[in-house]
Amino acid sequence: MDHITFLVAVVIVTALAFDFTNGFHDTANAMATSIATGALKPRTAVLVSGALNIVGAFLSTEVAKTISGGIVDDTLVSPGMIFAGLVGAILWNLLTWLVGLPSSSSHALFGGLIGAVWVGAGSHGVHFDKVVEKILIPAVASPVVAGVAALIATYLAYKLTARGRKDSVTKGFRLGQIASASLVSLAHGTNDAQKTMGVITLTLISAGALGHDAGPPVWVIASAGLAIGLGTYLGGWRIIRTMGKGLTEIQSPQGFAAETASTTVILTSAHLGFALSTTQVASGSILGAGLGRRLAEVRWGIAGKMVLAWLITLPAAALVGGISASAVKHGGNFGTVVVALIGAAVAAGIVLASRRNPVSAHNVNDAHEVTIRTEPPTRVGTAA
């Protein structure tokens, strides 16, 4: 424990804070379609998802090893660089949550970390071949694979149940959704919780508390699982609304197909150690499910905004991570405190802005798009 300095402790707490934002940012990946179709009540859905995320965190550590010893050179990384990268990731998560955009928490983390290490240690501190192999290629391939799988599954679901009674078919698929959504939550824990495990493990390696190529200790696995589980339970309702109602109108057969496709892709990737974006996988599955139902409306405008967010997530988080790393590198402890205070102020401002147009379990299915009210609502009885 002698290696756990004040800065290392700050980095660990910041990593768990990112894990918490990752949880509520990504609740939609597992539960948006089940909430939209009525298969699960909103509060029940996030409780189930939170619990299964914790369980999933203990099932594998391959993705954690990819982050702690794969995309950056752990011999050149310092706790200050990791702290700077986490600041970039957290702020991007909060900003996209505010506007209800399901961007990738994973790419926010990777971007923040890559930008911080690049500035702090030089370009040779980043393993760009691993970034391409483990991050960029899966980022392109995974939503396409999930979308095609969901499209085929949706088509078959409607084809096979075409002669069945609509109410019986709906009831059956809603029951199936409970199982499939639960599996997505379990898969999410095996993938996303591990990313924070990898960051904390990388911090401990850089501080000399663990040897090179070490895996995450049990306490790291447990704390990361609990943090993402708690964040998931609180529910990122703004993004759940966009995923469940924004891309397409989801019926229960589509929800079941989308969730099953997402689970298959996420679990396969976790087993192979690919740190993919579960958000992109889930979004691709929902789009595929929309295209698989005849006459279903797909809102391409919202899909386009999501793709744009995907494209700029990694470089935007890298920019903030790089700027933060520069302040930490040249300012020492003073620079670290300044970055922490500015980050906290921006985060608080985003949370306050979200209260202008709150989205909760009570109104998550009311509309398909989140807007931020900039003026107070007109009172009844007053002139417009």
Side-chain angles (χ1 to χ4, degrees):
M1 295 299 289
D2 294 338
H3 297 280
I4 307 298
T5 64
F6 174 74
L7 180 56
V8 170
V10 168
V11 174
I12 292 173
V13 171
T14 307
L16 293 176
F18 165 78
D19 205 23
F20 176 81
T21 67
N22 192 163
F24 74 71
H25 200 281
D26 286 6
T27 309
N29 298 346
M31 291 301 174
T33 55
S34 293
I35 292 171
T37 62
L40 287 168
K41 293 182 179 179
R43 282 296 178 191
T44 302
V46 295
L47 176 61
V48 170
S49 186
L52 289 174
N53 264 278
I54 296 173
V55 175
F58 287 88
L59 296 184
S60 172
T61 58
E62 291 304 315
V63 174
K65 292 176 182 177
T66 294
I67 294 172
S68 63
I71 64 174
V72 295
D73 187 342
D74 59 20
T75 63
L76 300 176
V77 174
S78 69
M81 296 178 202
I82 299 172
F83 169 74
L86 287 168
V87 169
I90 290 172
L91 293 181
W92 183 257
N93 268 359
L94 290 174
L95 179 62
T96 49
W97 162 74
L98 175 67
V99 297
L101 269 181
S103 71
S104 172
S105 296
S106 305
H107 288 181
L109 176 61
F110 302 146
L113 189 59
I114 289 168
V117 173
W118 196 339
V119 170
S123 59
H124 56 283
V126 181
H127 297 154
F128 289 101
D129 56 334
K130 290 294 183 182
V131 172
V132 172
E133 175 191 350
K134 296 288 189 179
I135 297 174
L136 297 183
I137 292 177
V140 175
S142 59
V144 175
V145 172
V148 171
L151 187 154
I152 296 171
T154 299
Y155 174 80
L156 292 175
Y158 280 103
K159 194 75 172 177
L160 294 173
T161 59
R163 297 181 181 275
R165 290 176 54 190
K166 185 175 180 179
D167 57 343
S168 298
V169 171
T170 298
K171 183 178 180 181
F173 276 111
R174 282 182 176 176
L175 290 174
Q177 273 194 275
I178 296 174
S180 59
S182 297
L183 285 173
V184 176
S185 297
L186 191 69
H188 186 266
T190 67
N191 194 282
D192 278 49
Q194 287 189 58
K195 292 160 190 171
T196 299
M197 295 178 209
V199 169
I200 295 176
T201 302
L202 180 60
T203 304
L204 295 173
I205 290 173
S206 70
L210 292 176
H212 295 297
D213 299 323
V218 174
W219 70 266
V220 172
I221 297 174
S223 58
L226 288 170
I228 201 168
L230 180 58
T232 301
Y233 173 68
L234 290 181
W237 303 110
R238 309 174 86 82
I239 298 176
I240 289 174
R241 174 184 282 184
T242 300
M243 292 277 276
K245 294 292 185 179
L247 288 174
T248 184
E249 290 296 328
I250 291 288
Q251 295 180 354
S252 53
Q254 294 168 281
F256 176 77
E259 291 157 0
T260 303
S262 295
T263 301
T264 303
V265 173
I266 294 169
L267 285 178
T268 301
S269 298
H271 177 70
L272 296 174
F274 292 135
L276 53 72
S277 165
T278 54
T279 300
Q280 292 181 359
V281 171
S283 301
S285 296
I286 292 172
L287 278 174
L291 293 171
R293 177 165 70 90
R294 188 169 175 264
L295 302 179
E297 178 190 4
V298 176
R299 301 185 181 96
W300 293 108
I302 293 177
K305 292 178 183 178
M306 288 172 50
V307 172
L308 179 61
W310 295 352
L311 292 175
I312 66 174
T313 290
L314 196 147
L319 178 62
V320 178
I323 293 171
S324 301
S326 180
V328 171
K329 180 179 180 180
H330 298 292
N333 289 335
F334 177 75
T336 302
V337 171
V338 169
V339 169
L341 291 176
I342 293 175
V346 173
I350 292 173
V351 172
L352 288 175
S354 72
R355 294 182 179 179
R356 291 179 175 272
N357 186 20
V359 182
S360 67
H362 302 293
N363 65 351
V364 68
N365 281 333
D366 288 353
H368 70 263
E369 199 166 5
V370 174
T371 58
I372 305 302
R373 182 182 295 138
T374 57
E375 297 178 0
T378 303
R379 294 182 180 178
V380 177
T382 61

